[in-house]
Amino acid sequence: MNNTEPALLVVSAHAGDFVWRAGGAIAAAAQRGERAVVVCLSYGERGESAKAWREGKGLEEIKAIRREEAENAAAALGAEVRFLDAGDYPLVPTRELVDQLVQIYREVNPTVVLTHPLVDPYNGDHPAAARMALDARVLAQAIGYDAPGDPLGAPPVFFFEPHQPEQCDFKPNVLLDITEAFAAKRKAMECLAAQQHMWDYYTDLATRRGVQVKRNAGPNLGFSTDTKGEAYMRYYPQVTNTLA
């Protein structure tokens, strides 16, 4: 039978995406004692490892470097990480990749799924990953789909914030307080030496989103002055019997 414990599944196009975009959510889930599983479809070896290429490193060496960085970052967040080594620039959707994701869905039985938005004019790998994540979720629900495990329920899917949100039709409708988890996120970011230029950018973004967390939560709710946040878009409708 499927595991009924809370579990977070993150489908990431490249080995660093899950840290910048969703590291706070991942660390917070782990700190609550929940299972967090990250799937990296690629290592980001071709398109997101410019420093290593300029240093004269070869493809397999770069993939090994990015894998180690992602493993260390996942450990800092308290997550499991898996690599499908599907290649990047471009990341090409295939039935085989979707099937691998279906099997992971069935195994993990996530209560929440995080992935990229469906639009990104700067990086086609990101929407490709999102589409495969969504397709796999639907297939994993089908009782007749030939994959181990029980059919999936209907876990909510949240798109995490892209690097240039205004160009990606990203309008957040969920703001997550990651203040307590931010130290783990920063530690994980610092594991990604291949993209050191991103460390301060995403620290600053967490601060700005933290301001919005406080502003949208109402006054006098006890938020600290250094509140940190992450922004998300919910893809499927929320089902509830109470409006809040």
Side-chain angles (χ1 to χ4, degrees), residues 58-90:
L59 179 62
E60 293 306 316
E61 184 180 5
I62 291 171
K63 288 166 70 171
I65 290 169
R66 295 310 309 271
R67 180 183 182 115
E68 182 178 10
E69 288 183 354
E71 288 174 338
N72 291 338
L77 297 172
E80 306 168 36
V81 64
R82 305 185 189 181
F83 303 95
L84 301 190
D85 194 12
D88 70 321
Y89 282 69

Side-chain angles (χ1 to χ4, degrees), residues 192-214:
L192 302 176
Q195 294 176 283
Q196 187 171 346
H197 60 286
M198 307 277 264
W199 299 357
D200 289 342
Y201 179 92
Y202 278 97
T203 296
D204 293 343
L205 180 59
T207 299
R208 294 197 302 274
R209 290 306 189 189
V211 171
Q212 295 168 357
V213 166
K214 290 187 291 184

Side-chain angles (χ1 to χ4, degrees), residues 54-210:
R54 292 191 184 108
E55 291 172 350
K57 294 180 170 60
L59 179 62
E60 293 306 316
E61 184 180 5
I62 291 171
K63 288 166 70 171
I65 290 169
R66 295 310 309 271
R67 180 183 182 115
E68 182 178 10
E69 288 183 354
E71 288 174 338
N72 291 338
L77 297 172
E80 306 168 36
V81 64
R82 305 185 189 181
F83 303 95
L84 301 190
D85 194 12
D88 70 321
Y89 282 69
L91 171 63
V92 179
T94 67
R95 181 171 180 176
E96 290 74 21
L97 277 174
V98 172
D99 185 67
Q100 289 181 69
L101 287 173
V102 170
Q103 295 187 48
I104 292 170
Y105 271 99
R106 290 267 182 99
E107 175 208 335
V108 175
N109 189 26
T111 45
V112 175
V113 177
L114 307 181
T115 193
H116 301 266
L118 288 166
V119 176
D120 191 335
Y122 297 97
N123 194 320
D125 290 359
H126 295 161
R131 176 50 57 198
M132 286 190 283
L134 293 173
D135 288 349
R137 176 189 177 276
V138 171
L139 294 174
Q141 293 177 292
I143 192 168
Y145 189 89
D146 186 15
D150 295 329
L152 205 66
V157 176
F158 295 89
F159 298 146
F160 42 62
E161 184 166 5
H163 194 64
Q164 300 194 56
E166 296 84 358
Q167 307 302 318
C168 300
D169 295 340
F170 184 83
K171 186 176 181 180
N173 52 24
V174 176
L175 294 168
L176 180 68
D177 179 7
I178 62 165
T179 307
E180 297 302 317
F182 184 74
K185 178 173 181 173
R186 177 70 194 201
K187 182 178 179 181
M189 289 195 292
E190 292 177 359
C191 293
L192 302 176
Q195 294 176 283
Q196 187 171 346
H197 60 286
M198 307 277 264
W199 299 357
D200 289 342
Y201 179 92
Y202 278 97
T203 296
D204 293 343
L205 180 59
T207 299
R208 294 197 302 274
R209 290 306 189 189

Side-chain angles (χ1 to χ4, degrees), residues 13-63:
H14 310 111
D17 294 333
F18 71 94
V19 180
W20 317 121
R21 278 52 158 180
I26 296 167
Q31 289 172 6
R32 292 192 299 268
E34 299 173 12
R35 186 182 185 190
V37 179
V38 175
V39 179
C40 294
L41 294 171
S42 80
Y43 297 111
E45 62 270 19
R46 295 187 183 276
E48 303 198 346
S49 305
K51 178 181 176 183
W53 284 106
R54 292 191 184 108
E55 291 172 350
K57 294 180 170 60
L59 179 62
E60 293 306 316
E61 184 180 5
I62 291 171
K63 288 166 70 171

